[in-house]
């Protein structure tokens, strides 16, 4: 049995998110096939009215599906598909990383658009010289004000979101490090110096 959580609203802050525990009757853990099956189960429940129709206000896609490790203590308390449960900390951490990544991409993209405006901004801030003709044209362009405003809003959003993060995003790094260490340990268990007899070497 493999378990997933269907997160109700990805737009909500992690601490306000809820989800459904989904049991997929297949082994294999977190793989595309099990994720697809988990999504099918939730969609069927949703369509048949077995869960609150308002639970997924922004729709339901594979992005709403998150794997629940088999050693999660919540699995001991929840033994039936569809029971509501708080989002596990590591899932909240994953959500925070995804949202922060999206914000980071937005900041970089808008900053690239704003890069040609740097001389204008520096001249205005310093007050040491007037704007030249090309800079005046840039400053009069409606796009100038929109881009600068957009950049300020996104940077503020990143700052606000970081301040309200749970800190559980670090759990993802811990999980990656743990899995990497497991891989190293498994490799070290592989006997060395063993030669395939099919190569004709004894």
């Amino acid at each position: 049995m493999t378990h997933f959580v269907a997160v109700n609203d990805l737009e909500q802050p992690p601490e306000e998110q809820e989800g459904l525990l989904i049991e997929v009757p297949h082994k294999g853990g977190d793989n595309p096939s099990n994720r697809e099956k988990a999504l099918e189960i939730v969609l069927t429940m949703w369509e048949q009215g077995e869960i609150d129709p308002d639970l997924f206000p922004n729709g339901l896609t594979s992005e709403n599906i998150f794997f629940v490790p088999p050693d999660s203590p919540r699995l001991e308390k929840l033994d039936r598909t569809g029971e509501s449960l708080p989002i596990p900390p590591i899932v909240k951490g994953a959500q925070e990383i995804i949202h922060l990544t999206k914000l980071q991409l937005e900041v970089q993209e808008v900053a690239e658009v704003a890069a040609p405006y740097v001389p204008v901004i520096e001249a205005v801030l310093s007050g040491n010289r007037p704007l030249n003709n090309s800079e005046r044209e840039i400053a009069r362009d409606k796009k100038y004000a929109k881009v600068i405003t957009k950049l300020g809003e996104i940077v503020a959003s990143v700052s606000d979101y970081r301040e309200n993060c749970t800190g559980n995003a670090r759990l993802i790094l811990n999980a990656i490090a743990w899995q990497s260490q497991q891989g190293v340990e498994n490799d070290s268990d592989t006997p060395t110096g063993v030669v395939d007899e099919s190569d004709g070497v004894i």
Side-chain angles (χ1 to χ4, degrees):
M1 190 73 68
T2 303
H3 296 85
F4 294 87
V5 169
V7 178
N8 64 334
D9 189 352
L10 300 178
E11 298 298 324
Q12 292 293 324
E15 63 272 12
E16 297 180 11
Q17 292 176 350
E18 295 181 349
L20 297 176
L21 180 67
I22 306 301
E23 292 183 348
V24 176
H26 299 146
K27 296 182 179 180
D30 188 14
N31 59 47
S33 176
N34 282 342
R35 280 179 169 270
E36 183 178 353
K37 182 61 179 177
L39 179 60
E40 291 177 359
I41 291 173
V42 185
L43 286 172
T44 299
M45 294 170 61
W46 198 20
E47 293 170 355
Q48 294 180 350
E50 297 178 13
I51 57 179
D52 187 343
D54 298 325
L55 187 60
F56 299 96
N58 298 313
L60 179 61
T61 68
S62 58
E63 293 185 358
N64 297 78
I65 306 299
F66 290 86
F67 176 63
V68 179
D71 57 352
S72 173
R74 285 172 170 75
L75 295 182
E76 299 178 2
K77 300 178 181 179
L78 302 170
D79 58 2
R80 69 182 182 85
T81 299
E83 187 166 350
S84 180
L85 76 163
I87 303 302
I90 194 168
V91 176
K92 289 184 179 181
Q95 286 294 87
E96 289 176 352
I97 290 175
I98 293 170
H99 191 62
L100 281 171
T101 301
K102 291 179 179 179
L103 290 175
Q104 180 67 34
L105 289 173
E106 289 184 32
V107 170
Q108 290 184 216
E109 290 169 358
V110 178
E112 290 174 359
V113 177
Y117 303 154
V118 171
V120 177
I121 297 171
E122 290 179 339
V124 171
L125 291 176
S126 68
N128 294 329
R129 66 173 179 83
L131 299 177
N132 59 39
N133 290 336
S134 61
E135 291 171 343
R136 290 166 65 181
E137 290 181 7
I138 291 175
R140 289 193 183 101
D141 191 335
K142 294 181 179 180
K143 185 178 179 182
Y144 171 82
K146 291 181 179 180
V147 171
I148 298 302
T149 300
K150 181 65 174 178
L151 182 57
E153 291 173 347
I154 296 177
V155 171
S157 296
V158 174
S159 179
D160 290 342
Y161 191 78
R162 286 185 182 277
E163 289 181 1
N164 292 295
C165 279
T166 63
N168 291 321
R170 289 289 175 183
L171 295 175
I172 298 297
L173 290 177
N174 294 342
I176 294 173
W178 185 83
Q179 291 293 342
S180 298
Q181 182 61 34
Q182 291 296 104
V184 171
E185 292 178 355
N186 290 337
D187 289 342
S188 66
D189 291 338
T190 302
T192 57
V194 178
V195 180
D196 189 343
E197 293 184 0
S198 64
D199 293 335
V201 179
I202 300 178

